[in-house]
């Protein structure tokens, strides 16, 4: 298991606020909600540290500070957090988009350089996920810009926007497995831990 020493919550928020000034967007609200979801779920799990979970959730998309991008944001975030000396956050920047360690499951544009693509593929081939990787993968999928929602809603929205590949079925199943996994760890459905999840999921006024 990784070290629990990452950085304080207020410092993580400073990083996020600075990044949003550099590249303003809805990703900022999504990141705040992912951090809050990670805190709430980790608080219900005896072997997880909620402050570490919050920091990792808030900063999982920090690579977006470099501008609008697709896959590139994961290596941008990794590189930046490694430069800042926070290897646990850097790791989450790479792993959060891959519930299975398979680069081919990424639906968006692979706009990384060839060197970064090769690095990411090798990293995913070598990494052994822990529960913080899995938690942020889950929270990335259930946190939208307005709050929390059923994972199925986010998956469907992503599928409509980006389409599907031969890997989509397995990727979606893995997200549903994460819901079941953390619900078991928490001793209740993770959705019971997330305020407003029902209202936000079925808010059709946003369409």
């Amino acid at each position: 298991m990784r070290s629990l020493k990452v950085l304080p919550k207020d410092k993580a928020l400073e990083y996020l606020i600075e990044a949003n000034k550099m590249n303003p967007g809805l990703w900022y609200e999504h990141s705040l909600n992912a951090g809050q979801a990670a805190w709430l779920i980790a608080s219900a799990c005896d072997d997880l540290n909620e402050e570490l979970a919050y920091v990792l959730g808030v900063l999982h998309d920090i690579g977006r500070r470099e501008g609008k991008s697709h896959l590139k944001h994961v290596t941008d975030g990794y590189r930046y957090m490694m430069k800042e000396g926070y290897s646990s956050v850097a790791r989450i920047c790479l792993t959060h988009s891959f519930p299975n360690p398979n680069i081919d499951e990424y639906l968006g544009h692979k706009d990384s350089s060839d060197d970064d693509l090769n690095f990411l593929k090798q990293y995913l081939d070598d990494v052994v996920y822990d529960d913080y990787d899995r938690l942020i993968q889950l929270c990335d999928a259930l946190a939208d810009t307005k709050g929390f929602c059923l994972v199925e809603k986010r998956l469907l929205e992503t599928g409509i926007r980006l389409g599907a590949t031969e890997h989509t079925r397995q990727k979606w199943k893995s997200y549903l497995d994460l819901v079941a996994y953390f619900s078991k760890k928490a001793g209740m459905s993770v959705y019971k831990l997330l305020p407003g999840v029902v209202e936000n999921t079925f808010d059709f006024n946003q369409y």
Side-chain angles (χ1 to χ4, degrees):
M1 189 65 70
R2 70 187 70 213
S3 168
L4 296 183
K5 294 182 179 179
V6 184
L7 69 163
K9 288 176 63 179
D10 57 350
K11 180 64 175 178
L13 289 173
E14 286 179 14
Y15 277 118
L16 184 64
I17 290 167
E18 177 190 32
N20 188 53
K21 290 178 180 177
M22 296 171 65
N23 177 33
L26 294 175
W27 72 272
Y28 172 77
E29 287 79 8
H30 161 70
S31 296
L32 287 174
N33 290 330
Q36 183 66 13
W39 173 282
L40 292 168
I41 296 171
S43 295
C45 300
D46 292 339
D47 58 346
L48 294 179
N49 179 285
E50 59 265 29
E51 183 156 348
L52 172 59
Y54 178 84
V55 168
L56 297 177
V58 161
L59 295 180
H60 75 281
D61 270 347
I62 195 65
R64 298 197 184 280
R65 71 193 297 278
E66 302 297 334
K68 296 187 184 301
S69 64
H70 294 266
L71 181 59
K72 183 175 179 289
H73 82 279
V74 308
T75 45
D76 282 345
Y78 173 84
R79 191 175 294 109
Y80 177 60
M81 284 288 102
M82 288 298 290
K83 179 174 72 70
E84 294 295 300
Y86 300 115
S87 59
S88 285
V89 180
R91 168 178 170 140
I92 286 295
C93 290
L94 294 183
T95 62
H96 75 268
S97 291
F98 302 96
N100 302 301
N102 180 359
I103 195 172
D104 292 328
E105 288 189 356
Y106 190 79
L107 278 177
H109 178 49
K110 293 184 176 68
D111 53 353
S112 302
S113 68
D114 288 342
D115 285 345
D116 279 352
L117 286 173
N118 290 333
F119 166 74
L120 178 58
K121 184 179 186 305
Q122 188 61 56
Y123 191 96
L124 293 174
D125 284 345
D126 294 340
V127 71
V128 177
Y129 288 164
D130 65 20
D131 276 358
Y132 291 101
D133 296 300
R134 299 183 186 100
L135 178 62
I136 305 309
Q137 289 159 5
L138 172 61
C139 293
D140 187 30
L142 55 74
D144 66 15
T145 61
K146 293 187 175 183
F148 315 116
C149 64
L150 296 181
V151 166
E152 289 89 337
K153 179 182 180 182
R154 289 265 290 162
L155 296 181
L156 182 58
E157 288 174 343
T158 301
I160 291 171
R161 181 163 44 91
L162 298 175
T165 71
E166 68 271 22
H167 302 288
T168 300
R169 180 176 179 274
Q170 180 57 48
K171 185 174 184 178
W172 286 12
K173 181 181 183 302
S174 295
Y175 280 119
L176 298 180
D177 288 345
L178 287 173
V179 173
Y181 178 76
F182 282 101
S183 294
K184 183 176 181 180
K185 281 180 71 73
M188 68 183 78
S189 169
V190 293
Y191 295 118
K192 290 186 176 180
L193 301 168
L194 306 175
V197 65
V198 173
E199 294 81 359
N200 191 48
T201 295
F202 299 104
D203 177 12
F204 297 108
N205 292 322
Q206 62 186 285
Y207 296 103

